[in-house]
Structures are given as C-alpha cells and as structure tokens.
Amino acid sequence: MSFFGFGQTADIDIILSGSDTRKLAEIKTEDGKKEKHYLYYDGESVSGKVNITLKKPGMKLEHQGIKIEFIGQIELYYDRGNHHEFTSLVKELVRPGELAQNTSYNFDFVNVEKPYESYTGSNVRLRYFLRVTIVRRLSDIVKESDIIVHTLASYPEMNSSIKMEVGIEDCLHIEFEYNKSKYHLKDVIVGKIYFLLVRIKIKHMEIAIIKRETTGSGPNTFNENETIAKYEIMDGAPVRGESIPIRLFLAGYDLTPTMKDINKKFSVRYYLNLVLVDEEERRYFKQQEIVLWRKGEKTRKPIQQPQSVPPENK
Amino acid sequence: MATEEKPPQDATRRLQPKKQTLDDAYAVPANFLEIDVLNPITHGVARKRYTDYEVRMRTNLPVFKMKELSVRRRYSDFEWLRNELERDSKIVVPALPGKAWIRQLPFRGDEGIFDEEFIEERKKGLEMFINKVAGHPLAQNERCLHMFLQDPVIDRNYVPGKIRNS
C-alpha cells in the first residue's frame, strides 16, 4: 500500500527446490474448491529460493529486513483471531537496507518436523506454509506459499476384526463382522451381517461411512458429522440364518486418516454406520468406529530422517 | 479370453458365512403381523349413533398372546390409544385420520360422519395407523396396545405399564 502511487513496491515469488521431482497433492479449500500444492513428509527439509522483483524500475526498495518463516498452524473457524502455531521456524534473509535491483535469496529449513497432516474441515483447518515478509516502516509486503503434509503409517501389528452381536430384545438380533478394525485409505472393507432373529419387516439395509470432526474441549466441544458414503447392501426382507456380504472399496471416497486430539485442538474420526430400514421407514442402526491410516506409496523417494518405512505393496 | 484361476487374496476374501438351514430359509417368516380394519357398522339411531370397526389381528409374534383375534373398536378408542402412547411411550406416534368436526355440524346435505365414503376413508386411515403402531418394537412393550388389540373391552381405568422386561 503506497500513498498516491509513490514509493517502490515489490513482487515476491517463493520457489521450492526439487519441484520437478516432487509430487503434488490435492486438498480442499474452505469454500470447497480443490487446490494443489507440493507434498512433503515429516523430517524432510524445506528449501528453495525467494525471488524479489521490484515493480518500479529505477527506484530503490527501502526495508527493515527480509525474513522467511515456515509455519504450521491450526485455525478454528469460530475463533479466527487466534491461530495456534505448533511449528514456527524463521530465517533472516537479509538485514535492513535497500534493494536496488531484483534479487534472489536461498533458504533451507533443514529436517523440519511436520508432526500432523494438512487438513481442511468443516470447522477447523491445519495448514503448513512459507511466509516471506519484507518489513517496512508503514506496511510490510507479505507472500505466503502453502505446502501439503501427509502423515504415513505402516501396517499395524494388531489389526483384529470387529465382531459383535447386537439387537433389540425379541425383535431383531444380528451379528455383524468387519474383517479389520484399521483400514488404509485405499483398502476394502470386507464383512458380513448374519441374522439371528428377525421379527420386524425389513425393507433394506445400508452401510454408511460417517466422518465426525470434533473441535473444542469440555463444555465447548462441537461435533460435526458428515456422511461420506452410503451404500445399500441388501434389498428385501431377510429371515433367520441369512448372511449378507459386505464389500466396500474406500479408494473412491474423500477420506483422511483418523486424527486423534491434534495438538489438543481437534479430532477427525470415522465410523461405519450399519442401518436397517423397516417397511414403516423406522431405522435401526449400529455405529462402529474404524481407524483409517495413510499407506506410503512404493515409489516414494527416501527422506533424511528415519521413519517407519512401509513394506512393499502386497 | 483365457483367464487364470488365481486363489482369492487373503485380504479381500469373503468372510465365512454360517450355512442357513433349509428350515430357516423356507419357514414362515417370524415377522408376520397383519391387522385389518373392516366391517364398519353404525349402531343406534338419530343423535345417539356411532360407528365401530372390526380390528382383526393375525400374527406369529410371540409378544402377542393371541395369534388371531378380532375386536370391535370405534374412533374414540383409537384416540385413546394414541393419547396413551404419546404419554407413555418414547415413540413418535403417527397421526390418526381427521376428527371431522365440520362433518358433525347440523344441516349438511349428506350423512355427515355416517356418510359411506367418509367411513371408508376413515377405515383406511385407521388401518394404516394401527399397522404402523403395532409393528413398532417400543409400542409392543405398552400394555395399552395389547389391551386395544386383544381385550374385548377397553378398560379406561387400567394401570398403564410395560409388558416386556426392559
């Protein structure tokens, strides 16, 4: 912001190194659109260069210092004023002085810890970004550049199946089974429903994946449920002894890994909701939590810091 | 097109189902419940007239003592049942067909609430109502429902309560 068009101003460009080999990932923005940014993992260095282009040729740019920051922060939509920075690194690019021409500065944040995955939700957002600031007396010139972070995990040691008998006494008894309790994002849920007692008139049965985003704590806890998928698995009235198979491919749905109590600010959990609907549209349901995790891809290039490396794809 | 017979992958193999016996597969369904509302009869003369309906229940649900039974009920009995369920049970009780106040006013061209077409419409509405209610697992716990369906006369001084152990 310069008064009456006087004074020099500048454009800032942040260029990440290794961008020709680095993958892009997609993430939703607050208004639902999809954005692509470079994908980083925990422990990787974030380096590159900052190009400063003077807008008015011939004029010098006076400044009180130019710095670059690497920030990881959580924004709660209902509390916009307070950004919770869980990671904040800063590097001074140049001391106060003046720029006479377009200049380029290198930066290297070495082995940066990125403990959480980037997430855009209904009431909360977790993002990582680089911010370059040209400090000036009246108004700073600022440029931000987002990156996306994925957290990887490997096949859990313990992954027992979920098997339960539920029902309404004397009316409806079912036994349901899902082959695992922890699924990766491209996994398939294999299961079955076994009918032990059917004294109601069932019209159909469906299974849904529900995402529950929890923000706040204590009396200010807010849960937001979103139905990510709904899939009919049975049409018609079953009788005792019938088994209905379930096969639900997760890759087709917009899912994130399960996130528990991220920086004590929010959680994202997933549930399978089994719903039976009778002829009078009454709904009988059983919700069961599943844990989702992100599997590393085979072709991922090695990183500096040691981390559990996922085994080869079976 | 040549296809190779590959053994199914462990990760996506179907879970082993229990075999259903032929008895279970072809038995009468355990959810049989049919309630018909029929045979409307208008009793009495002039101002003291009222219409009642046969409520015939056929079921194999063990919660009902009688498997086949008919009783006669009038509209106010249905209203009584609805009020009892609204108060005591946790269910959202469906609506009854209308009270038809306008039809009860004098100087109508037709028979008012004793008009054949009106009785036919009301009969259908009552049948929908009682089927919806009787099939509800929570309503089946209420003594008022059992008295409505299976006692010859409704005792309005009864003690409300539940049938099944909670």
Side-chain angles (χ1 to χ4, degrees), chain A residues 71-127:
Chain A
I71 296 175
Q73 75 182 21
I74 297 174
E75 304 164 17
L76 292 158
Y77 295 171
Y78 59 78
D79 190 18
R80 297 273 188 184
N82 297 326
H83 291 165
H84 304 274
E85 290 182 5
F86 56 85
T87 288
S88 181
L89 305 168
V90 63
K91 282 195 189 312
E92 192 188 62
L93 291 174
V94 67
R95 301 191 53 217
E98 54 183 37
L99 289 180
Q101 61 205 20
N102 297 344
T103 327
S104 190
Y105 300 99
N106 290 329
F107 67 90
D108 188 10
F109 293 101
V110 180
N111 296 357
V112 183
E113 262 184 36
K114 305 175 206 73
Y116 312 119
E117 173 152 327
S118 299
Y119 173 71
T120 303
S122 318
N123 299 290
V124 62
R125 193 164 163 210
L126 190 153
R127 57 189 274 251

Side-chain angles (χ1 to χ4, degrees), chain A residues 126-288:
Chain A
L126 190 153
R127 57 189 274 251
Y128 294 87
F129 58 97
L130 290 158
R131 184 200 284 148
V132 175
T133 310
I134 303 177
V135 183
R136 300 197 298 175
R137 260 179 307 117
L138 287 170
S139 62
D140 297 344
I141 306 175
V142 178
K143 180 76 191 272
E144 287 182 0
S145 176
D146 276 47
I147 62 161
I148 291 178
V149 173
H150 282 174
T151 52
L152 300 178
S154 43
Y155 280 97
E157 273 168 33
M158 291 279 299
N159 200 354
S160 48
S161 67
I162 300 172
K163 191 168 178 174
M164 250 184 241
E165 199 183 300
V166 296
I168 300 174
E169 202 175 317
D170 295 333
C171 285
L172 175 68
H173 288 197
I174 60 167
E175 186 190 79
F176 70 88
E177 187 177 347
Y178 305 129
N179 62 334
K180 301 185 213 179
S181 33
K182 300 176 188 155
Y183 293 93
H184 63 79
L185 299 184
K186 309 262 184 268
D187 216 333
V188 52
I189 298 176
V190 175
K192 70 180 203 312
I193 310 293
Y194 178 75
F195 287 91
L196 293 152
L197 181 70
V198 191
R199 292 211 182 111
I200 54 171
K201 293 178 186 167
I202 295 174
K203 195 168 63 159
H204 76 267
M205 179 165 63
E206 61 194 30
I207 193 161
I209 302 176
I210 307 216
K211 173 171 116 171
R212 181 170 300 155
E213 183 188 281
T214 307
T215 45
S217 60
N220 298 327
T221 305
F222 181 68
N223 286 325
E224 175 133 357
N225 291 334
E226 188 187 334
T227 301
I228 305 282
K230 210 189 274 195
Y231 195 70
E232 186 180 274
I233 56 173
M234 178 188 81
D235 184 21
V239 291
R240 182 172 61 191
E242 250 174 306
S243 272
I244 306 297
I246 297 170
R247 185 171 295 268
L248 186 54
F249 292 91
L250 296 178
Y253 302 112
D254 193 14
L255 300 168
T256 72
T258 294
M259 302 180 196
K260 288 192 188 152
D261 211 24
I262 300 300
N263 205 230
K264 301 205 200 331
K265 294 271 175 289
F266 71 94
S267 294
V268 180
R269 302 171 96 121
Y270 289 90
Y271 300 84
L272 284 179
N273 200 28
L274 183 71
V275 182
L276 293 99
V277 184
D278 74 10
E279 285 186 359
E280 302 296 351
E281 298 301 321
R282 289 180 284 253
R283 302 167 74 82
Y284 308 77
F285 68 93
K286 174 76 185 114
Q287 228 176 67
Q288 189 61 39

Side-chain angles (χ1 to χ4, degrees), chain A residues 30-91:
Chain A
E30 263 183 65
D31 34 350
K33 287 194 277 239
K34 291 215 166 179
E35 261 178 13
K36 281 196 178 160
H37 297 291
Y38 286 104
L39 179 61
Y40 284 80
Y41 298 99
D42 187 18
E44 281 190 296
S45 295
V46 182
S47 58
K49 63 177 191 242
V50 178
N51 290 342
I52 312 239
T53 314
L54 301 175
K55 279 201 171 142
K56 296 200 169 85
M59 274 187 79
K60 290 196 190 149
L61 179 72
E62 275 183 35
H63 64 86
Q64 265 71 54
I66 306 181
K67 62 179 177 178
I68 183 168
E69 297 168 277
F70 178 84
I71 296 175
Q73 75 182 21
I74 297 174
E75 304 164 17
L76 292 158
Y77 295 171
Y78 59 78
D79 190 18
R80 297 273 188 184
N82 297 326
H83 291 165
H84 304 274
E85 290 182 5
F86 56 85
T87 288
S88 181
L89 305 168
V90 63
K91 282 195 189 312

